[in-house]
């Protein structure tokens, strides 16, 4: 039959079976259970094991963070995968750790210092970094405790931090290798600069939003030698070094190669011809500010234009003149005013909505700025990252996300990796007194002597987290863990960091590990949103602390709700009422298992022979094995919502609502058949709890250890489909379900209360239903017909006949009147729908969706007529 309950866990002592409390109290169970799991080493991964490896890394949360619903969602999915693989016999490693989060962490500690009236410069670099480490020890990493609350089965003995000694060695090693391979270089280019964080940030750390600004058109030059340009950033004109037009634009052909005067400055600047300019946009002429715009920088490079920087790192104007010392926004207003006074403003559009880049950390408007920075030459690395997916070494799931991935890696610009911060991995480059530049590896001594200094910048946070799949396993050392657990089996992460993190790991993994990608599969999930589909945010007032829901409903309820909404690559709406529903499900599992234990459910001994079982027993075992196969298939396809839904309906609908209810008469009667069904029920509960465990670990662990007397579900075997199927038993029970469902519907339509007993005659002879008469009567509250029985309503259903005596239970006349009215309405609806569908002119003009809607109305009307007619026929005769 199934291969589950008969096999004792090897080496695991039998735990005495205990009775279950009448109510499930998550708060009394979860914390103790989790600590027991950790103490017993269930989550520890042994590189010496001969079991096949299964590895997942945690997307390292920021050390400044706390558990939000996005974390809870992602961690639930990863935990479900790793728990199942562990039960399947894999040596499973879920690697935990945290990211040092350079900008975010430095900002937090600087705010703390500000409360003391100090800045980081008051402390100096060394003391400030020490202060950050102190903050990390005292306040950082609260997310670790919250992960325990959720039930994360990570190997805590392997917890890593992107600034710890081992990972620092990895960072220095790969920097040195990339530098020696001429894939890291230093150059002056336009970067995204945050005037608040005072550092460069990468393109992917810039968030664009529509802001209200102004568009002003300015006349440069005089008379025939004048050109009008439009800009939203008038303050940058102080740094203009040319005006550019398209080479084929005849309007300006006479000006190309000449110079015109730049207003307010007294400087003369050339007019250049460049194909970058769109002659159809605006006036067909653009101002060129090479030091403050990336496109202008490229034009400047092509034409040998000077780069004039007119703002400092705080975005304060540094150009000589009346605007010096003004903030960029103050200068914008002042410059427009001065131009207006000179009659240079040709047109003004205010307000003008346009897309503006903001720092993702502090939301300050970023400033394009020419700066000397360190860069990664990404072309060969990105090519390898794209090829690994194209040739099938790495699979992206869902597959439709591949185009988004290729759209990014195939168009990557060189990556600015230097940050003007103090907290982070300091760039391992030293500069000598005579212009020497030396990159130092982890096993090399930096040059000493007078005049030698280390670069003051640190590396982008994503540089170190890009090494996460192999640096956490001990690389660059060739450790046992690296050999066993690299590459990772799957990466589970949100599509929102596909570019931030996933692409970085692909590039670095392929480069550092000799062409071996960091994972076999990238499983992308969506974002958690509120129940209305809106993004969760504190500013929107809809952000949820998952710990609050865990306190109220238990961690299992939160986990099950999140998993049940997890369709690959699709955003997940979630509301508190859904968590409440999941809590009811956990309680239903609890109560049903208590019932099973009270009625002889057991896993002791072999399953009875098939011929000893009732059709109900054979049906549930057939459905059980089909569910095992279905859940396995959904897991392999990362269909968490579907597998959760499958388990929900199997447990609640088939086990609790049907099998338990159909078997009650057997259990109450006692005897040998009750023992057979008790063993079957024990098998079903055992396997059901195993299947549910990866998603709802706490309640299932408590119930399963009580049912089986064994050590822990965490190390139990994952259920296997034995192949047992009994289609005849399934058809037989389906007939029983049809009878019960139809009669229940009829009772409800007649206004009978659920518990109201009705005399009935069941004509089941010659059908498989005959063996189920006692169960059918109990489920439908049908009394024996008795003396004076009068069949006032007769229902033919599933090849049988159910005759009910409704005399005295309903107002027949009122019911007939109500149904007759409903029948007339349904017939009218049918006539109207048929008339429209029979009108050829209407059908020819009407859209397909309108025609389909009318067809649907016709089908519903016909179904209503059939139903109401049956109800009328079943009413007692007056």
């Amino acid at each position: 039959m199934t291969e589950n309950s008969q096999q004792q866990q090897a080496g695991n002592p039998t735990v005495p079976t205990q009775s279950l409390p009448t109510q499930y109290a998550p708060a009394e169970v979860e914390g103790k259970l989790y600590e027991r799991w950790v103490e017993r080493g269930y989550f520890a991964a042994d590189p010496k094991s001969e079991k096949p490896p299964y590895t997942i890394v945690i997307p390292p949360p920021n050390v400044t963070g706390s558990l939000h619903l996005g974390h809870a969602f992602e961690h639930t999915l990863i935990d479900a995968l790793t728990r199942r693989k562990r039960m399947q016999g894999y040596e499973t490693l879920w690697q935990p750790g945290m990211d040092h989060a350079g900008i975010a962490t430095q900002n937090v500690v600087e705010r703390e210092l500000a409360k003391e009236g100090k800045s980081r410069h008051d402390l100096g670099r060394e003391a400030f970094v020490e202060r950050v480490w102190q903050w990390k020890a005292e306040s950082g990493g609260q997310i670790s405790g919250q992960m325990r609350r959720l039930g994360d089965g990570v190997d805590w003995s392997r917890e890593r931090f992107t600034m710890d000694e081992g990972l620092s060695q990895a960072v220095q090693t790969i920097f040195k290798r990339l530098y020696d391979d001429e894939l890291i270089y230093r150059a002056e280019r336009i970067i995204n600069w945050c005037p608040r964080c005072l550092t460069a940030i990468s393109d992917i750390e810039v968030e664009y939003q529509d802001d209200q600004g102004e568009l002003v058109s300015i006349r440069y030059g005089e008379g025939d030698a004048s050109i009008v340009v439009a800009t939203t950033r008038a303050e940058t004109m102080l740094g203009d070094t040319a005006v550019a037009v398209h080479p084929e634009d005849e309007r300006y052909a006479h000006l190309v190669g000449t110079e015109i005067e730049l207003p307010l400055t007294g400087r003369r600047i050339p007019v250049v011809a460049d194909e970058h300019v769109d002659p159809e946009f605006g006036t067909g002429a653009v101002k060129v500010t090479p030091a403050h715009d990336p496109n202008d920088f490229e034009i400047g490079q092509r034409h040998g234009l000077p780069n004039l920087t007119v703002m400092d790192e705080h975005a304060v104007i540094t150009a000589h003149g009346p605007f010096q010392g003004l903030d960029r926004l103050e200068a914008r207003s002042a410059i427009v005013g001065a131009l207006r006074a000179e009659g240079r403003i040709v047109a003004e559009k205010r307000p003008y909505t346009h897309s503006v880049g903001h720092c993702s950390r502090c939301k300050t408007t970023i400033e394009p700025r020419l700066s000397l920075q360190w860069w990664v030459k990404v072309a060969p690395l990105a090519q390898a990252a794209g090829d690994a997916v194209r040739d099938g070494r790495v699979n992206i799931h869902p597959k439709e996300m591949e185009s988004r991935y290729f759209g990014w890696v195939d168009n990557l610009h060189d990556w600015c990796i230097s940050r003007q911060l103090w907290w982070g991995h300091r760039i391992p480059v030293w500069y000598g007194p005579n212009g020497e530049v030396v990159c130092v590896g982890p096993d090399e001594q930096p040059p000493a002597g007078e005049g030698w200094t280390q670069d003051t910048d640190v590396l982008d946070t994503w540089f170190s987290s890009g090494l996460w799949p192999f640096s956490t396993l001990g690389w660059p050392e060739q450790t046992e863990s690296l050999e066993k657990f690299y590459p990772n089996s799957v990466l589970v992460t949100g599509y929102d960091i596909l570019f931030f993190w996933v692409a970085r790991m692909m590039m670095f993994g392929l480069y550092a590990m000799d062409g071996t990608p960091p994972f076999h599969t990238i499983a992308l999930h969506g974002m958690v949103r509120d129940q209305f589909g809106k993004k969760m945010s504190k500013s929107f007032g809809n952000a949820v602390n998952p710990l609050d829901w865990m306190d109220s409903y238990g961690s299992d309820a939160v986990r099950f709700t999140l998993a049940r909404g997890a369709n690959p690559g699709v955003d997940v709406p979630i509301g508190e009422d859904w968590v409440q529903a999941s809590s009811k499900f956990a309680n239903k599992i609890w109560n049903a298992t208590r019932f099973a234990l009270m009625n002889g459910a057991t896993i002791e001994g072999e399953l009875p022979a098939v011929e000893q079982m009732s059709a109900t027993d054979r049906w549930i075992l057939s459905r059980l094995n089909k569910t095992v196969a279905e859940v396995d298939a959904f897991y392999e396809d990362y269909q968490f919502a579907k597998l959760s839904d499958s388990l929900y309906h199997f447990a609640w609908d088939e086990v609790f609502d049907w099998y338990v209810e159909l078997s009650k008469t057997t259990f109450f009667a006692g005897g040998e058949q009750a023992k057979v069904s008790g063993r079957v029920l024990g098998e079903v509960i055992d396997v059901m709890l195993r299947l549910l465990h990866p998603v709802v670990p706490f309640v299932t662990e408590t119930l399963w250890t009580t049912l089986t007397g064994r050590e822990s579900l965490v190390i139990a075997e994952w259920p296997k489909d034995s192949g047992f199927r009994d289609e005849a038993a399934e058809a037989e029970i389906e007939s029983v379900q049809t009878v019960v469902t139809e009669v229940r519907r009829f009772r409800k339509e007649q206004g009978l209360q659920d518990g109201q007993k009705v005399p009935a005659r069941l004509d089941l002879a010659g059908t498989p239903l005959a063996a189920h008469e006692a169960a059918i009567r109990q489920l439908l509250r049908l009394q024996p017909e008795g003396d004076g029985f009068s069949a006032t309503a007769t229902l033919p259903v599933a090849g049988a006949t159910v005759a009910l005596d409704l005399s005295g239970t309903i107002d027949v006349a009122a019911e007939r009147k109500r149904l007759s009215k409903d029948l007339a309405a349904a017939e009218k609806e049918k006539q109207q729908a048929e008339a429209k569908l029979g009108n050829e002119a209407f059908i020819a003009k009407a859209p397909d969706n309108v025609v389909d809607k009318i067809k649907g109305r016709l089908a519903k009307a016909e179904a209503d007529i059939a139903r109401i007619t049956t109800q009328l026929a079943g009413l007692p005769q007056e």
Side-chain angles (χ1 to χ4, degrees):
M1 200 57 75
T2 52
E3 304 177 15
N4 310 297
S5 300
Q6 298 92 331
Q7 301 178 7
Q8 196 78 318
Q9 292 169 278
N12 295 335
T14 297
V15 179
T17 302
Q18 301 173 356
S19 60
L20 292 170
T22 56
Q23 299 289 329
Y24 176 50
E28 297 177 11
V29 171
E30 294 175 349
K32 296 175 184 177
L33 267 187
Y34 188 83
E35 291 310 315
R36 185 188 308 160
W37 292 335
V38 173
E39 288 169 4
R40 293 180 178 179
Y42 294 157
F43 304 139
D46 182 5
K48 299 181 184 298
S49 169
E50 296 183 0
K51 297 178 183 178
Y54 186 79
T55 315
I56 296 180
V57 295
I58 190 173
N62 288 353
V63 68
T64 58
S66 60
L67 191 74
H68 55 64
L69 267 181
H71 288 125
F73 172 57
E74 187 167 77
H75 291 200
T76 294
L77 305 187
I78 299 175
D79 198 40
L81 290 173
T82 52
R83 284 179 182 271
R84 172 174 175 263
K85 285 296 183 180
R86 192 177 290 111
M87 294 172 75
Q88 286 183 312
Y90 286 79
E91 192 61 33
T92 302
L93 168 61
W94 182 9
Q95 173 67 53
M98 287 180 290
D99 192 283
H100 67 279
I103 296 176
T105 305
Q106 180 157 319
N107 283 346
V108 168
V109 177
E110 285 196 85
R111 284 196 295 269
E112 292 295 314
L113 283 174
K115 294 176 184 177
E116 303 170 14
K118 299 178 182 178
S119 73
R120 60 182 165 119
H121 300 286
D122 293 325
L123 271 66
R125 184 170 192 142
E126 186 175 339
F128 176 77
V129 171
E130 181 60 35
R131 179 70 177 260
V132 180
W133 277 108
Q134 180 184 338
W135 174 87
K136 190 244 179 201
E138 295 173 356
S139 306
Q142 61 175 311
I143 202 167
S144 297
Q146 295 164 340
M147 287 168 60
R148 288 174 161 83
R149 282 288 309 277
L150 190 63
D152 287 2
V154 300
D155 185 347
W156 289 110
S157 69
R158 294 174 173 268
E159 186 174 13
R160 304 302 299 270
F161 181 55
T162 52
M163 285 282 286
D164 67 27
E165 184 176 350
L167 268 65
S168 294
Q169 183 183 26
V171 167
Q172 196 170 351
T173 298
I174 200 163
F175 187 100
K176 171 69 171 175
R177 292 187 185 179
L178 289 165
Y179 181 87
D180 290 346
D181 287 344
E182 298 184 349
L183 293 174
I184 282 183
Y185 63 94
R186 196 181 190 213
E188 192 174 46
R189 291 188 176 179
I190 294 287
I191 48 90
N192 303 300
W193 181 264
C194 177
R196 160 63 183 80
C197 298
L198 297 180
T199 182
I201 59 175
S202 65
D203 290 344
I204 54 179
E205 291 171 303
V206 178
E207 294 179 348
Y208 287 89
Q209 66 184 48
D210 287 341
D211 284 359
Q212 297 292 320
E214 61 181 355
L215 179 68
V216 294
S217 297
I218 310 168
R219 178 171 52 84
Y220 287 17
E222 300 293 342
D224 292 339
S226 66
I227 294 181
V228 175
V229 299
T231 181
T232 58
R233 303 171 67 224
E235 68 279 8
T236 62
M237 68 167 291
L238 301 177
D240 286 0
T241 56
V243 171
V245 298
H246 193 273
E248 298 176 5
D249 193 334
E250 295 181 359
R251 292 172 296 175
Y252 305 114
H254 66 290
L255 292 177
V256 173
T258 67
E259 290 185 343
I260 60 175
E261 184 174 329
L262 178 65
L264 305 181
T265 66
R267 288 192 292 112
R268 296 188 65 80
I269 58 176
V271 178
V272 299
D274 195 281
E275 291 188 353
H276 170 76
V277 180
D278 180 0
E280 303 298 324
F281 184 77
T283 64
V286 296
K287 58 192 287 299
V288 182
T289 321
H292 293 277
D293 184 275
N295 293 321
D296 292 3
F297 177 78
E298 297 297 331
I299 293 174
Q301 292 292 294
R302 287 192 288 271
H303 296 277
L305 301 176
N307 302 315
L308 298 184
T309 299
V310 296
M311 276 181 253
D312 66 12
E313 64 270 22
H314 298 280
V316 171
I317 301 298
T318 58
H320 295 297
F323 311 108
Q324 187 173 4
L326 294 180
D327 170 82
R328 56 182 166 170
L329 298 182
E330 296 172 332
R332 180 177 303 170
S333 177
I335 288 171
V336 169
L339 290 168
R340 188 183 299 113
E342 290 190 4
R344 294 284 178 179
I345 300 296
V346 175
E348 296 181 69
K349 187 174 182 180
R350 187 183 297 111
Y352 178 73
T353 302
H354 61 133
S355 181
V356 178
H358 296 259
C359 173
S360 62
R361 303 293 181 184
C362 69
K363 312 309 177 187
T364 301
T365 300
I366 63 101
E367 190 65 44
R369 185 169 187 258
L370 187 64
S371 182
L372 185 62
Q373 303 283 345
W374 285 95
W375 304 79
V376 171
K377 186 184 296 182
V378 301
L381 303 175
Q383 176 70 43
D387 290 345
V389 174
R390 289 188 175 93
D391 63 25
R393 281 175 290 158
V394 178
N395 297 307
I396 294 180
H397 191 280
K399 192 171 181 63
E400 53 265 28
M401 286 285 182
E402 279 188 1
S403 59
R404 185 180 290 202
Y405 175 79
F406 291 135
W408 182 257
V409 298
D410 292 348
N411 296 284
L412 273 177
H413 300 296
D414 284 1
W415 173 20
C416 176
I417 55 172
S418 47
R419 297 292 180 267
Q420 289 64 56
L421 304 171
W422 287 355
W423 173 244
H425 295 282
R426 194 165 175 181
I427 289 175
V429 171
W430 272 255
Y431 305 108
N434 299 311
E436 302 95 333
V437 179
V438 177
C439 181
V440 178
D443 300 322
E444 301 171 347
Q445 291 297 319
E450 187 176 351
W452 283 93
T453 58
Q454 185 178 358
D455 196 298
T456 57
D457 288 352
V458 301
L459 288 165
D460 177 11
T461 298
W462 297 103
F463 191 95
S464 52
S465 60
L467 314 180
W468 193 247
F470 51 93
S471 64
T472 52
L473 297 172
W475 186 91
E477 301 298 324
Q478 295 303 306
T479 64
E480 288 182 316
S481 291
L482 187 65
E483 183 177 354
K484 178 74 174 180
F485 296 113
Y486 186 91
N488 291 184
S489 306
V490 61
L491 173 74
V492 179
T493 191
Y495 63 72
D496 57 315
I497 58 172
L498 181 61
F499 320 128
F500 287 86
W501 190 44
V502 179
R504 310 302 191 205
M505 288 189 290
M506 286 285 284
M507 290 191 297
F508 282 165
L510 289 160
Y511 173 79
M513 300 302 292
D514 300 322
T516 302
F519 18 73
H520 298 301
T521 299
I522 302 168
L524 298 170
H525 59 73
M527 308 289 289
V528 177
R529 298 181 178 272
D530 70 13
Q531 59 189 317
F532 305 109
K534 190 174 182 180
K535 181 180 179 180
M536 285 192 172
S537 166
K538 290 181 180 178
S539 60
F540 294 156
N542 63 350
V544 173
N545 182 347
L547 295 179
D548 292 339
W549 282 353
M550 290 183 209
D551 290 341
S552 299
Y553 307 108
S555 296
D556 284 332
V558 174
R559 290 170 61 114
F560 192 73
T561 304
L562 292 165
R564 203 173 178 193
N567 290 296
V570 179
D571 288 348
V572 183
I574 184 173
E576 187 168 2
D577 54 341
W578 302 341
V579 184
Q580 289 175 337
S582 296
S583 177
K584 290 178 181 177
F585 179 52
N587 287 321
K588 185 75 171 179
I589 299 170
W590 184 272
N591 291 331
T593 305
R594 284 190 74 248
F595 171 86
L597 289 169
M598 292 166 60
N599 287 275
T602 180
I603 64 163
E604 296 303 321
E606 298 289 332
L607 276 170
V610 172
E611 55 270 18
Q612 293 179 281
M613 297 181 191
S614 67
T616 308
D617 294 333
R618 299 195 306 276
W619 162 73
I620 196 62
L621 288 173
S622 183
R623 289 296 309 131
L624 175 68
N625 279 284
K626 285 184 177 180
T627 301
V628 171
E630 187 174 69
V631 168
D632 275 334
F634 286 144
Y635 262 115
E636 294 306 313
D637 199 33
Y638 304 99
Q639 296 281 357
F640 296 98
K642 290 182 179 179
L643 73 89
S644 299
D645 219 42
S646 176
L647 288 169
Y648 177 89
H649 289 295
F650 174 72
W652 195 304
D653 300 346
E654 297 185 295
V655 178
F656 306 152
D657 281 358
W658 285 108
Y659 181 72
V660 168
E661 294 299 323
L662 289 170
S663 301
K664 279 183 178 179
T665 53
T666 301
F667 290 131
F668 294 162
E672 287 302 313
Q673 193 58 51
K675 292 181 180 178
V676 170
S677 293
R679 179 64 187 86
V680 171
L681 180 56
E683 179 80 1
V684 171
I685 297 293
D686 170 21
V687 175
M688 180 192 73
L689 293 174
R690 293 174 193 244
L691 290 173
L692 282 164
H693 176 73
V695 181
V696 285
F698 295 107
V699 67
T700 52
E701 172 84 340
T702 306
L703 295 173
W704 188 83
T705 53
T706 303
L707 171 71
T708 66
R710 297 177 184 172
E711 185 180 346
S712 175
L713 253 181
V714 180
I715 52 174
E717 285 190 40
W718 180 252
K720 296 176 183 176
D721 173 16
S722 69
F724 175 76
R725 303 289 190 273
D726 194 325
E727 302 299 337
E730 289 198 41
E732 183 173 329
I733 299 306
E734 185 177 338
S735 296
V736 174
Q737 292 172 325
T738 301
V739 170
V740 173
T741 301
E742 289 301 314
V743 176
R744 277 178 174 167
R745 181 182 294 118
F746 181 79
R747 285 177 57 110
K748 184 176 182 180
E749 290 168 347
Q750 303 308 316
L752 298 177
Q753 299 298 315
D754 290 343
Q756 189 172 351
K757 295 182 178 180
V758 178
R761 178 189 299 135
L762 274 59
D763 183 4
L764 309 176
T767 73
L769 296 167
H772 304 280
E773 179 170 351
I776 291 172
R777 283 187 176 276
Q778 179 177 325
L779 288 170
L780 292 172
R781 304 295 189 267
L782 302 180
Q783 294 176 317
E785 51 193 280
D787 295 335
F789 176 82
S790 175
T792 57
T794 303
L795 302 176
V797 58
T801 302
V802 178
L804 305 173
D805 183 354
L806 302 178
S807 57
T809 61
I810 61 172
D811 184 337
V812 176
E815 187 63 16
R816 188 177 299 280
K817 183 177 180 181
R818 182 185 70 81
L819 289 172
S820 297
K821 183 179 179 181
D822 290 347
L823 180 61
E827 289 173 337
K828 182 178 180 181
E829 176 74 4
K830 178 186 176 185
Q831 291 171 0
Q832 291 176 340
E834 286 177 333
K836 286 189 175 182
L837 293 173
N839 185 336
E840 293 183 2
F842 171 78
I843 294 297
K845 295 179 180 179
D848 291 343
N849 65 317
V850 173
V851 175
D852 290 342
K853 187 175 181 180
I854 295 172
K855 288 179 178 179
R857 284 168 50 192
L858 176 60
K860 182 179 184 302
E862 290 174 337
D864 288 343
I865 290 169
R867 174 179 57 81
I868 297 168
T869 302
T870 301
Q871 290 177 241
L872 282 166
L875 287 175
Q877 297 299 315
E878 297 179 67

